[in-house]
Amino acid sequence: LNSSQKQAVTNYDKLVMAEKTLNTLMPVIDVIEQIDNTRFAGLKDEADVIYSRLAYNALPDSQKSLVNNLSVLLETEMNLNKLKGIKLGDFDGDKRISSADALKVLQISVGKVTNYTDSQRISSDYNRDDEITSLDALLILQKSVGKI
């Protein structure tokens, strides 16, 4: 724009604010697109599923609620785990969720147990936030007694 055209623009501040908002939301848009582009057909697509989860987890909590297709990622992760024979909460792999599973997960969360397999790590992260915490142990215990 030339100088006279620039002077005619009366809502430049709104444009600047809109650009800032867009820049703030770009990571959310990227995650939504990544999830949409993850087409799960089998174990060969595991890397795409993991990448989508990592991208989502990297968002600040204030932006996670803006991801409108999280249910697609959750369903895809469940399908992947089924293919791999992993049941969330079943740390010991005995096909049932028990208080013993919750205890192991609690021990992992406090650092008492440090040696476990990738499958056990996946099954221990009950709320799928990529961390094994006492909340996961609590959820597994609640599941074992039918509370959830």
Side-chain angles (χ1 to χ4, degrees), residues 13 57 71 74 77 89:
D13 291 341
N57 287 348
S71 63
L74 296 174
E77 288 173 327

Side-chain angles (χ1 to χ4, degrees), residues 114-133:
T114 58
N115 189 20
Y116 45 90
T117 67
D118 192 46
S119 294
Q120 289 172 323
R121 179 189 56 76
I122 292 168
S123 69
S124 297
D125 185 15
Y126 197 84
N127 65 354
R128 293 178 270 184
D129 66 354
D130 240 15
E131 296 180 54
I132 300 173
T133 66

Side-chain angles (χ1 to χ4, degrees), residues 71-140:
S71 63
V72 172
L73 177 59
L74 296 174
E75 183 177 337
T76 302
E77 288 173 327
M78 281 191 345
N79 290 336
L80 175 63
N81 289 339
K82 283 179 188 174
L83 273 180
K84 292 173 78 174
I86 299 171
K87 182 177 182 181
L88 284 178
D90 183 17
F91 179 85
D92 57 18
D94 66 356
K95 305 295 183 214
R96 62 186 192 90
I97 298 173
S98 68
S99 59
D101 296 310
L103 176 60
K104 280 294 188 187
V105 171
L106 183 60
Q107 290 172 330
I108 290 170
S109 75
V110 297
K112 186 171 182 181
V113 171
T114 58
N115 189 20
Y116 45 90
T117 67
D118 192 46
S119 294
Q120 289 172 323
R121 179 189 56 76
I122 292 168
S123 69
S124 297
D125 185 15
Y126 197 84
N127 65 354
R128 293 178 270 184
D129 66 354
D130 240 15
E131 296 180 54
I132 300 173
T133 66
S134 58
L135 176 59
D136 295 304
L138 175 63
L139 293 170
I140 292 168

Side-chain angles (χ1 to χ4, degrees), residues 25-45:
L25 294 176
M26 281 310 295
V28 174
I29 294 167
D30 291 343
V31 168
I32 291 170
E33 289 175 354
Q34 173 63 34
I35 292 171
D36 282 342
N37 292 330
T38 301
R39 297 289 176 238
F40 181 71
L43 291 176
K44 65 181 179 57
D45 301 311

